[in-house]
């Protein structure tokens, strides 16, 4: 069965960004340019923190607006991303209702492809990697 | 590594590649010393256009966990000498991801502005509308809503303290972290700079993926599983209140005592039990040592109406605004911390200034004509109002008090109990000789320079002064490496020389523990030289009498011992550089 990245308990997020750095590391990069997950404060850390990432739509609007099929629906929700096909039009960034597609320095998107890597690095049990119905 | 230079007088900026500097001086403190030397007329008035601010990060950001700090260097308006202050939050990773090793701010804007650095672009924004907002939390919120870059940015701003040039105003980042000591906030204020926002999205290739993964995991594991950081996991730095009180080392009521009868009430344990509402972390830190208390306050006039404010607490503000002022109620303490947070003041300096003012009032050196409000140890409301006055400075007395306790005691007397070292207000430890020698010879006059307070607790018996000095300098030299990397000092148990060398290797740099230690010594000397060039004179260091009157953990301290230590330090470490 396919798996996806899930939230176990969002209230426990401390905004440390270990997940974000893990996601770029997966691409052999130090930093955040390739990261498909974003730790944000809730209008200031007074109100705590949360993470934004793809929630694995079954009918992904981002893929529907992609002119080149760089984004295609993935079994179990979300999308498969083929960067070599991407022309950097940013349609997908506009289309994602929750703002889970981020713009890289080269104008192309960074987004979560549900590999599960970052879940191993969340020190506070916020993230999990779970099987879903295909 | 790139350096971004921003000139506020001309509204211009340039980007330079300074790989040379980072290779020789690591980053952070090491690089900031060099950049300040290059960029600044060292005789400049700290509040003039000529003062220069350097923010520097190191080669481990954002490669490794806990490399989460940024070093700020400038001329301090509090001491008139070198100012250096470190902060966490998201500043370091934002600067790194934006592609810089350092950001320099020069000149002075004609009108209030804030600066936005977005990767390789710099924008100057009109800040006239928000200049008068004294609440640094609100300033942060407004700027955050105006600007892009949620999640990948830092908003470093000042509140009323900085814009009114209180010489111990801080720069606040991500609501709860501070470039706290030595008055960077006033330097921002003097430049008409309300905030510096840095938005960073970027990355660089990992040179050696296999080695890098290995050492990354090792560091993370050490941080999470070993004892090296346990202390900060649970109660945070507030864990220190009870043990220091038991040792007889907790400065209380302007250091008239070192035990506080209400310490338990304001201890890390009590705060955790009654108020701890949330914890958050600096960027790339697995520990989340930032402890935030929830304080529920009823409306004064409306029944069943409450507001809940979230207040970050640490050992230092608990000492300075708690025991030092005789405040034993948690609610009162939290209100004071919140007030200081709102204005963007350094908590330690504010507490020490108020403690001195309270005693000066008790002794009749000043009257309520000066203080405008009755100050007495334990009285929260009086202190809350006095903090307003420090920021608003409605009379001559508060104009002076806003310049620090050294200045205030020069004008009004009471130097014997004005607790400043090298003109910087005292941190929260009265443990023994090494503690105070540490404050005096530490190049930032900070307890974290060389951890004398910790040395005092470890010593079985009191060694001759020169041994203490050598130990402190050795510790401080190694800490120059840590603050050049720049890793959090709380992770010093993780980043041992061997680990640092290994971590460098995975990034493609060969070095050894020995070479690193040598670099630390070199940076120490460079910083001391810079201090001397800015007019530092070890003979002018003042020893407040109070520290010899009030017994501490080591008993009664000997003035002769400390003077001997200072003589030795000057002879061995200072004079060869003059
Ligand atoms: S990126 Fe956004 S639109 Fe696309 S699948 Fe994920 S959540 Fe849905
Ligand atoms: S930016 Fe790339 S992935 Fe996104 S819609 Fe355009 S082509 Fe497709
Ligand atoms: S699951 Fe994989 S792709 Fe998605 S955010 Fe985590 S590391 Fe990145
Ligand atoms: S690693 Fe966990 S706690 Fe940290 S930002 Fe990501 S989800 Fe939040």
């Amino acid at each position: 069965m396919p798996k996806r990245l899930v939230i176990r308990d969002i209230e426990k997020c401390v905004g440390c960004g270990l997940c974000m750095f893990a996601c770029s590391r997966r691409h052999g990069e130090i930093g955040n340019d390739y990261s498909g997950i974003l730790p944000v404060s809730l209008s200031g850390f007074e109100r705590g923190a949360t993470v934004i990432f793809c929630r694995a739509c079954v009918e992904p609007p981002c893929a529907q607006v992609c002119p080149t099929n760089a984004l295609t629906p993935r079994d179990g929700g979300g999308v498969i991303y083929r960067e070599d096909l991407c022309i950097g039009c940013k349609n997908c960034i506009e289309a994602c209702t929750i703002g889970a597609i981020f713009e890289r320095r080269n104008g192309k998107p960074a987004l979560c492809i549900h590999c599960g890597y970052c879940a191993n690095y969340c020190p506070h049990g916020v993230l999990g990697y779970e099987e879903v119905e295909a | 590594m790139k350096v971004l230079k921003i000139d506020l007088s001309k509204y211009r900026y340039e980007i330079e590649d300074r790989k040379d500097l980072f290779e020789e001086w690591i980053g952070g403190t090491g690089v900031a010393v060099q950049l300040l030397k290059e960029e600044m007329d060292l005789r400049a008035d700290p509040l003039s256009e000529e003062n220069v601010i350097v923010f520097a990060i190191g080669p481990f950001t954002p490669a490794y966990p806990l490399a989460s700090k940024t070093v700020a260097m400038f001329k301090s308006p509090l001491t008139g000498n070198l100012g250096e202050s470190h902060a966490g939050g998201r500043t370091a990773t934002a600067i790194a991801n934006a592609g810089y090793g350092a950001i320099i701010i020069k000149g002075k804007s004609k009108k209030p502005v804030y600066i936005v650095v977005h990767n390789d672009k710099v924008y100057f924004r009109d800040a006239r509308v928000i200049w008068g907002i004294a609440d640094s939390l609100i300033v942060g919120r407004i700027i955050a809503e105006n600007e892009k870059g949620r999640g990948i940015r830092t908003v470093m701003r000042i509140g009323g303290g900085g814009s009114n040039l209180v010489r111990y105003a801080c720069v606040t980042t991500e609501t709860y972290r501070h470039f706290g000591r030595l008055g960077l906030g006033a330097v921002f204020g003097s430049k008409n700079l309300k905030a510096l926002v840095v938005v960073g999205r970027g990355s660089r290739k990992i040179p050696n993926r296999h080695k890098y993964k290995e050492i990354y995991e090792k560091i993370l594991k050490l941080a999470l599983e070993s004892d090296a950081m346990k202390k900060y996991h649970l109660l945070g730095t507030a864990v220190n209140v009870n043990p220091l009180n038991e040792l007889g080392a907790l400065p209380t009521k302007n250091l008239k005592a070192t035990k506080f009868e209400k310490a338990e009430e304001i201890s890390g344990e009590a705060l955790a039990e009654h108020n701890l509402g949330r914890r958050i972390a600096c960027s790339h830190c697995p520990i989340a040592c930032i402890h935030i208390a929830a304080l529920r306050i009823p409306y004064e006039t409306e029944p069943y109406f409450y507001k809940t404010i979230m207040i970050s607490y640490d050992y230092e503000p608990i000492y300075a605004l708690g025991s030092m002022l005789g405040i034993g109620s948690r609610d009162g303490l939290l209100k004071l911390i919140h007030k200081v947070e709102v204005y963007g003041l350094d908590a330690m300096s504010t507490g020490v200034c108020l403690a001195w003012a309270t005693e000066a009032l008790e002794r009749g050196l000043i009257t309520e004509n000066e203080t405008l409000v009755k100050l007495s140890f334990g009285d929260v409301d009086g202190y809350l109002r006095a903090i307003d006055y420090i920021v608003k400075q409605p009379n001559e007395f508060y104009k002076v008090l806003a310049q620090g306790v050294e200045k205030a005691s020069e004008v009004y007397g009471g130097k014997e109990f004005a607790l400043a070292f090298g003109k910087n207000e005292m941190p929260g430890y009265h443990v023994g000789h090494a503690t105070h020698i540490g404050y005096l010879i530490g190049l930032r006059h900070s307890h974290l320079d060389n951890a004398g307070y910790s040395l005092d607790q470890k010593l079985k018996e009191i060694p001759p002064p020169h041994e203490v000095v050598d130990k402190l300098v050795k510790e401080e030299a190694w800490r120059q490496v840590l603050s050049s990397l720049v890793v959090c000092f709380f992770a010093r148990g993780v980043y041992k020389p061997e680990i640092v060398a290994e971590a460098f290797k995975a990034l493609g740099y060969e070095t050894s523990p020995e070479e690193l230690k040598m670099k630390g010594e070199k940076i120490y000397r460079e910083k001391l030289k810079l201090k001397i060039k800015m007019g530092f004179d070890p003979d002018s260091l003042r020893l407040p009498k109070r520290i010899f009157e009030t017994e501490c953990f080591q008993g009664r301290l000997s003035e002769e011992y400390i003077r001997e230590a200072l003589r030795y330090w000057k002879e061995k470490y200072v004079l060869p550089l003059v």
Side-chain angles (χ1 to χ4, degrees):
Chain A
M1 268 206 293
K3 289 181 148 190
R4 61 163 288 212
L5 184 69
V6 295
I7 293 285
R8 291 244 161 87
D9 182 0
I10 195 62
E11 298 296 334
K12 283 164 83 183
C13 180
V14 298
C16 65
L18 258 77
C19 50
M20 174 178 79
F21 292 111
C23 187
S24 275
R25 272 206 308 286
R26 198 176 58 86
H27 289 89
E29 295 279 324
I30 295 170
N32 62 2
D33 201 25
Y34 288 74
S35 303
I37 185 164
L38 185 74
V40 298
S41 75
L42 295 165
S43 299
F45 279 104
E46 304 90 292
R47 301 187 182 85
T50 191
V51 273
I52 300 174
F53 63 91
C54 167
R55 55 168 290 100
C57 304
V58 180
E59 226 178 78
C62 59
Q64 286 171 346
V65 298
C66 178
T68 63
N69 282 334
L71 296 178
T72 46
R74 164 187 177 272
D75 270 353
V79 286
I80 296 166
Y81 173 47
R82 279 192 55 189
E83 193 182 334
D84 56 337
L85 297 180
C86 170
I87 54 169
C89 70
K90 304 187 191 48
N91 285 356
C92 54
I93 296 177
E94 291 289 315
C96 176
T97 317
I98 59 168
I101 304 185
F102 313 102
E103 188 181 337
R104 277 188 17 223
R105 277 217 181 187
N106 66 3
K108 293 190 179 185
L111 77 168
C112 173
I113 52 155
H114 297 277
C115 74
Y117 186 71
C118 59
N120 302 316
Y121 291 92
C122 173
H124 304 286
V126 176
L127 300 172
Y129 194 47
E130 282 173 9
E131 293 195 339
V132 287
E133 297 284 324
Chain B
M1 286 278 232
K2 291 199 187 111
V3 174
L4 168 65
K5 282 189 204 170
I6 302 172
D7 187 340
L8 276 169
S9 299
K10 302 197 180 105
Y11 306 110
R12 276 178 28 190
Y13 66 97
E14 49 185 337
I15 297 167
E16 276 176 19
D17 192 355
R18 295 304 304 270
K19 213 170 152 219
D20 58 313
L21 269 188
F22 285 84
E23 271 170 12
E24 186 167 0
W25 301 103
I26 305 177
T29 297
V31 163
V33 165
Q34 301 304 321
L35 286 172
L36 211 58
K37 263 182 12 193
E38 285 178 16
E39 296 291 333
M40 185 176 163
D41 172 358
L42 299 178
R43 291 157 309 176
D45 177 331
L47 293 181
S48 73
E49 186 169 354
E50 281 77 44
N51 200 353
V52 171
I53 305 166
V54 178
F55 291 102
I57 59 158
F60 283 11
T61 310
Y64 297 115
L66 294 154
S68 48
K69 295 253 176 172
T70 305
V71 169
M73 229 178 244
F74 49 97
K75 195 167 193 183
S76 163
L78 181 64
T79 67
N81 201 272
L82 181 64
E84 179 185 347
S85 187
H86 304 172
R90 289 180 163 178
T91 308
T93 53
I95 293 176
N97 291 329
Y100 304 107
I103 297 177
I104 298 171
I105 296 174
K106 307 175 66 159
K108 173 182 178 174
S109 175
K110 277 159 217 75
K111 296 278 177 179
V113 291
Y114 68 90
I115 299 174
V116 178
V117 176
H118 195 142
N119 286 348
D120 45 11
K121 297 269 189 313
V122 176
Y123 306 92
F124 298 91
R125 303 264 206 255
D126 187 351
R128 286 174 300 176
V129 175
I130 56 172
W131 185 252
I133 300 178
D135 185 333
S136 71
L137 281 76
I138 306 277
V139 173
R141 252 178 243 163
I142 292 173
I143 293 177
E145 287 190 10
N146 263 347
E147 299 297 335
K148 296 199 182 83
R150 199 175 168 218
I152 54 169
R153 67 186 171 195
T154 180
V155 182
M156 302 178 250
R157 72 273 195 168
I158 58 172
S163 35
N164 288 357
L165 306 182
V166 177
R167 287 175 187 238
Y168 39 90
C170 65
V171 169
T172 302
T173 175
E174 282 66 80
T175 313
Y176 295 123
R177 297 292 92 184
H178 317 93
F179 293 94
R181 310 237 61 193
L182 299 169
L184 181 61
V187 181
F188 264 48
S190 73
K191 295 186 174 307
N192 272 326
L193 179 61
K194 190 72 175 171
L196 169 62
V197 181
V198 181
V199 187
R201 181 137 196 137
S203 60
R204 56 187 148 111
K205 275 248 144 349
I206 301 169
N208 183 332
R209 269 176 100 152
H210 178 70
K211 268 212 196 93
Y212 173 71
K213 186 168 162 55
E214 210 171 283
I215 181 75
Y216 187 98
E217 307 283 333
K218 192 159 160 185
I219 291 168
L220 192 60
K221 202 163 165 207
L222 273 174
L224 287 170
E225 289 170 16
S226 72
D227 283 343
M229 299 203 62
K230 202 164 262 155
K231 182 170 166 185
Y232 307 103
H233 266 287
L234 304 172
L235 297 175
T237 55
V239 70
N240 286 329
V241 177
N242 275 335
L244 282 167
N245 188 50
E246 274 153 35
L247 284 183
L250 177 69
T252 300
K253 298 177 189 159
N254 202 34
L255 198 59
K256 290 197 228 178
T258 48
K259 278 191 191 269
F260 182 37
E261 66 280 6
K262 294 182 183 144
E264 185 64 49
E265 273 291 297
I266 55 169
S267 65
E269 288 82 351
L271 280 158
E273 189 183 333
H274 300 285
N275 299 89
L276 182 57
R278 167 175 296 136
R279 280 169 58 181
I280 53 170
C282 294
S283 186
H284 218 168
C285 166
I287 305 300
C289 84
I290 308 170
H291 284 54
I292 300 180
L295 180 64
R296 197 169 82 126
I297 307 173
Y299 281 24
E300 296 78 10
T301 48
E302 297 274 321
Y304 298 105
F305 251 114
Y306 288 88
K307 56 183 178 179
T308 300
I309 48 179
M310 305 298 286
I311 303 148
S312 134
Y313 61 88
D314 263 301
Y315 173 69
E316 299 297 344
I318 297 176
Y319 134 74
L321 302 167
S323 64
M324 196 63 164
L325 298 179
I327 305 293
S329 91
R330 264 191 316 282
D331 284 11
L333 167 68
L334 289 170
K335 282 184 195 163
L336 285 164
I337 296 178
H338 183 66
K339 180 74 108 184
V340 163
E341 185 79 87
V342 159
Y343 284 133
L345 298 172
D346 180 65
M348 282 184 259
S349 291
T350 306
V352 169
C353 283
L354 291 175
W356 168 86
T358 309
E359 191 168 340
L361 189 64
E362 277 177 358
R363 290 170 179 250
L365 295 176
I366 48 177
T367 66
E368 273 183 57
N369 281 336
E370 278 78 36
T371 59
L372 303 176
V373 54
K374 172 124 185 64
L375 298 176
S376 53
F377 291 116
D379 175 16
V380 176
D381 290 335
Y383 290 128
L384 286 170
R385 284 178 55 198
I387 296 170
D388 288 332
Y389 292 142
I390 287 175
V391 172
K392 297 196 179 105
Q393 300 159 40
N395 65 6
E396 194 48 37
F397 174 74
Y398 282 103
K399 284 197 177 79
V400 172
L401 198 60
Q403 295 177 51
V405 82
E406 187 79 25
K407 177 78 183 180
S409 62
E410 254 162 43
V411 176
Y412 295 97
K415 272 193 179 279
E416 323 79 74
F417 55 86
L419 290 156
F421 297 83
K423 300 189 186 164
N424 190 22
E425 284 77 16
M426 177 186 176
Y429 307 84
H430 183 46
V431 191
H433 294 97
T435 305
H436 294 285
I437 297 167
Y439 300 156
L440 289 158
I441 69 173
L443 301 184
R444 296 187 293 150
H445 308 291
S446 152
H447 60 299
L448 289 171
D449 282 333
N450 43 40
Y453 64 97
S454 149
L455 182 60
D456 276 328
Q457 294 174 53
K458 285 183 204 137
L459 293 170
K460 296 260 169 338
E461 50 198 88
I462 300 176
H466 69 90
E467 273 181 33
V468 164
V469 169
D470 286 338
K471 280 205 173 94
L472 291 174
V473 172
K474 192 171 167 214
E475 178 65 26
E476 184 158 351
W478 172 248
R479 288 184 179 213
Q480 301 317 297
V481 175
L482 300 178
S483 66
S484 298
L485 283 171
V486 182
V487 297
C488 177
F489 276 7
F490 297 156
R492 58 186 177 268
V494 173
Y495 281 100
K496 299 272 193 221
E498 295 69 29
I499 299 270
V500 175
E502 228 180 295
F504 261 116
K505 196 174 257 167
L507 297 180
Y509 296 97
E510 284 300 326
T511 182
S512 63
E514 293 66 41
E515 191 191 4
L516 286 164
K517 283 181 201 159
M518 267 169 47
K519 283 205 175 177
E521 287 161 18
K522 224 168 88 180
I523 295 168
Y524 176 86
R525 285 194 299 273
E526 286 287 303
K527 194 154 105 184
L528 182 49
K529 265 200 262 179
L530 179 60
K531 233 174 126 66
I532 295 166
K533 282 204 188 113
M534 284 182 165
F536 175 66
D537 171 11
D539 291 332
S540 71
L541 288 170
R542 182 178 68 83
L543 307 184
K545 261 217 188 65
R546 175 59 45 85
I547 65 170
F548 304 110
E549 293 164 355
T550 303
E551 278 204 23
C552 61
F553 170 62
Q554 263 181 7
R556 207 168 280 280
L557 297 183
S558 147
E559 181 164 352
E560 191 33 49
Y561 184 98
I562 295 184
R563 294 223 177 266
E564 179 51 35
L566 289 177
R567 265 194 295 276
Y568 173 78
W569 180 63
K570 180 179 165 189
E571 189 93 350
K572 177 156 176 198
Y573 297 99
V574 184
L575 289 181
L577 303 178
V578 177

